[in-house]
């Protein structure tokens, strides 16, 4: 499984579709399905500001180069009221 995860993250110079930019994850999937981009192509994903994809990427701490906004912050730690002890009771 480790080798599979490593393989999926390899970027190959000159792969078909390298350098393309997409706004939605479904556009990436469609381009891959029809063979416009290879699995190892380096692409850019620029979600629309305020979209659910942009919010998920922000929550994960992923910010595209040159597209940092004032809303981009590292993910917040869970508040003390939502943390759980190893036994499952609230602390």
């Amino acid at each position: 499984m480790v080798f599979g995860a490593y393989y999926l993250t390899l970027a190959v110079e000159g792969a078909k579709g390298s350098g393309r930019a997409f706004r939605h994850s479904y556009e990436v999937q469609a381009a891959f399905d029809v063979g416009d981009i290879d699995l190892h192509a380096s692409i850019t994903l620029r979600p629309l500001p305020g979209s659910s994809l942009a919010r998920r990427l922000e929550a994960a701490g992923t910010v595209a180069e040159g597209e940092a906004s004032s809303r981009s912050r590292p993910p917040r730690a869970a508040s003390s009221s939502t943390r759980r002890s190893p036994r499952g009771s609230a602390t």
Side-chain angles (χ1 to χ4, degrees):
M1 289 184 75
V2 173
F3 288 123
Y6 172 73
Y7 175 77
L8 289 174
T9 61
L10 288 176
V12 176
E13 294 248 352
K16 185 177 182 181
S18 290
R20 290 191 55 189
F22 299 91
R23 281 280 186 199
H24 303 282
S25 58
Y26 63 81
E27 290 176 342
V28 177
Q29 181 67 45
F32 179 76
D33 288 344
V34 297
D36 286 346
I37 59 173
D38 285 335
L39 181 63
H40 301 289
S42 295
I43 62 166
T44 303
L45 181 59
R46 294 186 192 133
L48 294 170
S51 69
S52 64
L53 179 58
R55 289 191 301 271
R56 288 192 313 248
L57 292 173
E58 275 186 26
T62 305
V63 178
E65 292 180 27
E67 292 193 14
S69 68
S70 60
R71 293 178 42 209
S72 298
R73 302 188 233 327
R76 286 187 246 151
S79 67
S80 61
S81 63
T82 59
R83 290 188 186 157
R84 301 261 179 207
S85 70
R87 295 185 184 196
S89 62
T91 56

